[in-house]
Amino acid sequence: MAEAPLPAIRSLPSWLLGRAAARGRALVADALTAEGLRMWHHVVLSAVRDLAPVAQADLGRGVGLDPKDVVGILNDLQSAGLVERAPDPRDRRKNAVTLTDDGARLLTRCEKAAREANDELLAPLSAAERERFMELLARISGVSGVPGGSGDPAAQG
């Protein structure tokens, strides 16, 4: 079925960004599914790697998930042998989460799959256009610290 010609809507940057984001999410979700992981599971696994050992509550705040959702995802990841939860040595009332060796190996494969999916998304752009696109996305999204983006100290010269 052909899409309706909605020039007023289709000319909005927000509409175009939404379409690009939906396509990107679908490509990445498919790539992660092939590795046996869902999107939020990948996000949490990556955050655990970057922040470990990390308290569950801090992990939830770090990725912007409700605490009960974090618990469910961590339960899945722990059942699969991808993360471990143990009493936090700094505060025994809290659980600290760390990545297992299996979790690290799966995360490496998933990061590769996600990069390849994003390469597919950006395939119509040249390397220079991709770099500029990332800089512009970082600027309008207000996200700092994006490698190659305007918030990246290395990009500041």
Side-chain angles (χ1 to χ4, degrees), residues 2-53:
E3 294 186 38
L6 303 168
I9 296 297
R10 290 172 186 248
S11 66
L12 295 173
S14 56
W15 188 86
L16 291 169
L17 283 169
R19 294 296 297 242
R23 182 166 181 262
R25 275 190 304 275
L27 289 167
V28 171
D30 289 348
L32 294 175
T33 297
E35 293 293 337
L37 211 57
R38 290 179 284 197
M39 293 276 282
W40 275 109
H41 289 65
H42 177 242
V43 169
V44 169
L45 207 59
S46 183
V48 168
R49 188 256 332 265
D50 293 347
L51 302 171

Side-chain angles (χ1 to χ4, degrees), residues 33-106:
T33 297
E35 293 293 337
L37 211 57
R38 290 179 284 197
M39 293 276 282
W40 275 109
H41 289 65
H42 177 242
V43 169
V44 169
L45 207 59
S46 183
V48 168
R49 188 256 332 265
D50 293 347
L51 302 171
V54 61
Q56 284 181 198
D58 295 337
L59 179 61
R61 283 189 290 276
V63 298
L65 275 177
D66 185 90
K68 67 181 175 300
D69 293 329
V70 172
V71 169
I73 290 170
L74 287 174
N75 287 344
D76 293 344
L77 294 173
Q78 186 169 15
S79 293
L82 304 173
V83 299
E84 292 176 344
R85 288 184 275 195
D88 188 329
R90 295 167 295 196
D91 185 346
R92 309 285 290 164
R93 297 168 297 170
K94 297 179 181 181
N95 276 327
V97 185
T98 56
L99 208 55
T100 64
D101 290 342
D102 286 346
R105 282 189 290 274
L106 177 61

